[in-house]
Amino acid sequence: MLKMLRSSAFIFSIFLFGCNGGGDGGGTTTSFPYSKPSLYFKSTQKIVVDVYYEPGAEPFTGSTAGGLNYWDILEDNLNEIFKYRSSAPVVVVPKALGSMTALSNNAKSSWLGTEIVALHNQTAHTDSTATEAHFYLYFLNGYYNSGSGASTSVIGVSLTGTPIIAIFKDVVESTGANPAGPVPKYVEQSTLVHEMGHALGFVNNGVPMVSSHQDTAHGAHTTNTNCVMYWQNEGASGLQSFVAQFITNGTTVMWGSQVLADAQGYSQ
């Protein structure tokens, strides 16, 4: 099964040095029959985000100085992308560590996509149904391994054909001079929004485009530099600059107008 998974799918990953598609594979839609854009944007009644973390890789929680819960960012973006549904799904996002699930320490220095799928398969979880979709977010120690060794530049990956996303905490914490400051926290949330975007079907990854805005040179990404689905190709400073605007103005919605138009055109 793992050999089949490796050859049949790609991974979308967000990097300190850019966001790109590629890798050793993650899963197939046959393993997740209720994980598809046509259900998310047309009939699913509830979207649930399930969060798992290794000791030492706990997600950032808490609030900004202005009182914004950091997990409001992901929740607001999910509500925004589904607002075009005639009957919007209920979105459930945990916001406190106590609402998330602690894992055992796997003591791994790097993770292949197939190993992330294997971790998911051995972790107790609730499967999606035709009316209730679950997305599984794993916060891990160590680094992503595309098959050619550990990469210290990959922040997160979305395993194509699955609702599984992995965030590599060591890389998140390296994005700010102060690991406990606001920049890594916004980077973590923007990475979650970006990878959720891929998992939901953007850009041209299951949700059809209304206008031509795919950055075909970089896979399922947009050409709009002001959208979270743009490939950050200016290094760590580029990603930090992207989140800085949200830190400054307090806004939370990170989708660009073209992605929102795609969601509107596909929603039912």
Side-chain angles (χ1 to χ4, degrees):
M1 172 65 79
L2 295 185
K3 183 177 180 181
M4 177 195 72
L5 295 177
R6 177 172 295 139
S7 63
S8 63
F10 295 98
I11 289 179
F12 292 105
S13 44
I14 187 164
F15 295 82
L16 289 177
F17 304 107
C19 183
N20 198 0
D24 59 273
T28 63
T29 53
T30 56
S31 301
F32 300 91
Y34 299 110
S35 299
K36 56 185 68 175
S38 59
L39 293 178
Y40 304 147
F41 288 95
K42 299 180 185 297
S43 60
T44 298
Q45 298 172 11
K46 192 174 185 179
I47 303 284
V48 182
V49 174
D50 298 324
V51 180
Y52 307 86
Y53 63 90
E54 289 189 300
E58 291 86 352
F60 289 120
T61 54
S63 302
T64 67
L68 173 73
N69 187 295
Y70 286 108
W71 284 84
D72 284 343
I73 297 173
L74 178 60
E75 183 181 66
D76 288 355
N77 279 274
L78 290 177
N79 282 321
E80 185 74 10
I81 210 70
F82 290 120
K83 72 179 184 180
Y84 305 105
R85 289 267 309 268
S86 58
S87 179
V90 174
V91 172
V92 180
V93 175
K95 298 182 180 180
L97 203 61
S99 301
M100 304 173 188
T101 302
L103 303 171
S104 300
N105 191 338
N106 289 273
K108 293 181 64 64
S109 60
S110 67
W111 293 84
L112 293 167
T114 49
E115 292 174 329
I116 299 169
V117 172
L119 173 65
H120 173 72
N121 288 338
Q122 70 186 29
T123 300
H125 60 270
T126 302
D127 289 330
S128 295
T129 66
T131 58
E132 182 173 304
H134 285 255
F135 290 87
Y136 312 100
L137 280 48
Y138 289 88
F139 286 73
L140 305 173
N141 297 305
Y143 301 96
Y144 170 61
N145 184 347
S146 66
S148 57
S151 171
T152 59
S153 62
V154 177
I155 304 175
V157 294
S158 173
L159 279 62
T160 302
T162 84
I164 301 171
I165 291 167
I167 301 295
F168 302 97
K169 194 67 180 188
D170 291 344
V171 188
V172 173
E173 292 179 342
S174 73
T175 60
N178 177 8
V183 171
K185 296 172 183 177
Y186 273 83
V187 165
E188 183 168 281
Q189 285 294 313
S190 67
T191 302
L192 288 173
V193 175
H194 181 106
E195 301 303 344
M196 282 292 297
H198 285 313
L200 290 170
F202 304 105
V203 170
N204 202 23
N205 188 43
V207 175
M209 293 185 296
V210 171
S211 63
S212 179
H213 67 99
Q214 183 181 7
D215 182 359
T216 54
H218 300 115
H221 299 98
T222 183
T223 55
N224 182 354
T225 59
N226 293 317
C227 177
V228 72
M229 299 309 295
Y230 176 69
W231 182 21
Q232 301 295 328
N233 58 2
E234 296 181 350
S237 61
L239 186 55
Q240 291 171 11
S241 296
F242 178 75
V243 301
Q245 61 184 306
F246 299 97
I247 296 173
T248 301
N249 61 31
T251 59
T252 56
V253 175
M254 298 179 172
W255 309 113
S257 57
Q258 296 93 337
V259 166
L260 290 173
D262 292 347
Q264 182 175 14
Y266 194 57
S267 294
Q268 182 174 304

